Amino acid sequence: MRIGVLTAGGDAPGLNAAIRAIGQMAFRDGHELIGIANGWAGLAGAYAGRNLMPADIADIVGLGGTLLGTARYNLDSPPGGRDHVLAAIGEHFDALVAIGGDGTQRISHWLAERGAPVVGVPKTLDNDLLGTDYCIGFDSAVSLVAESLDRLHTTAASHHRVMVVETMGRATGWVAAMGGLAGGADLIIIPEFPLTMDEIIAHLVKRRSVGNAFSIVVIAEGINLETLGGVESGSVSSEGVGGVRLATRGVGQFLASRIDEHGGFDVRTTVLGHLQRGGSPTAYDRIWATRVGAAAYDAAIDGKFGMIPVVRGGDVELAPLITVAHGQRRVPRELYELCAVFF
Ligand code: F6P
């Protein structure tokens, strides 16, 4: 069997562990593994597949990024990209494993509906795909946020400052909330439960009045600036294609300047940015990337196309691709309320 594999959308630590799992099992069973460069771009434009050898995937379980390369690529502009991909799959593969987030899996679903032998693997460090408790890259991002907050604590305490920390999180606040919980944040602001400037200032003033000389405020980059009294200057990019890039809106810096305007606080901002996506995956990410990668391989071999392995209740299950393709899994109120116990 010729098994193709691609990684699409933003990279995330753990992608290589998933590729390795698919590849090792394919080689064990005598199948071919074809790596496609740069996601859908490697099928929509000039064909960019190449046969991978066991040596290509040896020793990559702990390697960050993706050895295949990835891209944010719009298959609908110019039109015809999807049909090109459909034809390329028919020509080159008996099965294709597409590792990616909701945008990638919407395309996988579209292809599978037209008879393409596609299986998905859930990846987004935002961890907000519907229908799965885990997406590759999340634990590594949360660990980076927690470690950063630990570091910021010592300097915040020394200078009695308010430290605003901006994390990734396009539509939801999983990275901010769980990173903030693990790193002892004194306030967490996420799209699911936005706070007004009055509420934020009141919280900082109250903390100081009860003897807390410093505060660490974590804010997700996806916050609508209008909730902080700002103005949105255009439509925000979806899948990182078109529109305003989230990070360029500078929500962390904006919040810091609003706190500064209030007066009485010495404020600094840290934008964690792509540090959250870089580097080696945590053990947790390696393990789950291996488990969902292995389950995707099994599904491909069994001809269970149009499916994606998801994590539910500590186990891997197969779900139809449509389950993860539309909408986001939001941080539930009870979890945010738990975070707020420590504010
Ligand atoms: O969707 C995952 C994500 O990491 C978001 O949290 C972030 O807004 C975006 O990707 C950044 O994308 P890019 O690497 O294209 O700037």
Side-chain angles (χ1 to χ4, degrees), residues 10 72 124-126 168-170 221 240 245-246 274 277:
R72 297 196 183 280
T124 166
L125 112 189
D126 293 354
M168 281 190 170
R170 187 189 300 278
E221 67 177 355
R245 261 204 316 121
L246 270 186
H274 289 80
R277 291 233 305 257

Side-chain angles (χ1 to χ4, degrees), residues 267-331:
V267 196
R268 295 293 185 275
T269 313
T270 303
V271 179
L272 294 176
H274 289 80
L275 287 172
Q276 295 159 99
R277 291 233 305 257
S280 196
T282 59
Y284 190 88
D285 262 327
R286 298 178 199 196
I287 291 164
W288 281 104
T290 300
R291 290 192 66 180
V292 288
Y297 169 79
D298 286 340
I301 291 300
D302 294 345
K304 293 181 178 158
F305 301 120
M307 305 295 278
I308 183 166
V310 292
V311 177
R312 289 181 186 158
D315 235 323
V316 180
E317 294 174 12
L318 272 190
L321 276 166
I322 190 73
T323 316
V324 304
H326 295 282
Q328 275 83 34
R329 189 172 64 98
R330 296 163 68 78
V331 174

Side-chain angles (χ1 to χ4, degrees), residues 93-140:
F93 315 114
D94 302 303
L96 173 70
V97 182
I99 310 176
D102 57 342
T104 305
Q105 305 312 345
R106 264 196 298 285
I107 293 164
S108 303
H109 173 64
W110 185 92
L111 293 164
E113 271 192 318
R114 282 152 187 81
V118 180
V119 172
V121 170
K123 174 276 323 176
T124 166
L125 112 189
D126 293 354
N127 202 41
D128 58 3
L129 287 190
L130 280 172
T132 183
D133 301 340
Y134 159 82
C135 301
I136 294 175
F138 176 61
D139 187 64
S140 303

